[in-house]
Amino acid sequence: TCFGGSDATAIAHTLQDHPLAVCLDGSPGSYYLQEGSGSGLSKFHIFFEGGSFCGSHAECAQRAQGYLGSTAKDPPHKVLDDHPFFSTSQK
């Protein structure tokens, strides 16, 4: 299979070596990479959570406290099959 099953876990990669790639709270930017397997060995998923934009300094300060403005509480692994864009379900 390409993705899914018990190995459907993506691994977090931080951008700590890129000092300008930071979130609103100063935590390093990050993305999740899930490599393919079996017939999809040459395929992969990259998941990069977009943070949108802030309309004011107050909105940015509030957004910095949550997951759209910080990677500080991001887990080291993420199951992408739970996300509707990456689901391998045929439903």
Side-chain angles (χ1 to χ4, degrees), residues 22-34:
V22 295
C23 297
L24 290 171
D25 69 344
S27 58
S30 70
Y31 63 93
Y32 288 90
L33 175 66
Q34 179 185 356

Side-chain angles (χ1 to χ4, degrees), residues 1 7 9 30 38 42 44-45 53 57 67 73 75-77 79 84 90:
T1 62
D7 62 344
T9 303
S30 70
S42 64
F44 56 90
H45 280 158
F53 69 95
H57 289 289
Y67 77 97
K73 296 180 182 177
H77 301 92
V79 177
Q90 297 295 316

Side-chain angles (χ1 to χ4, degrees), residues 14 21 28 54:
T14 65
C54 306

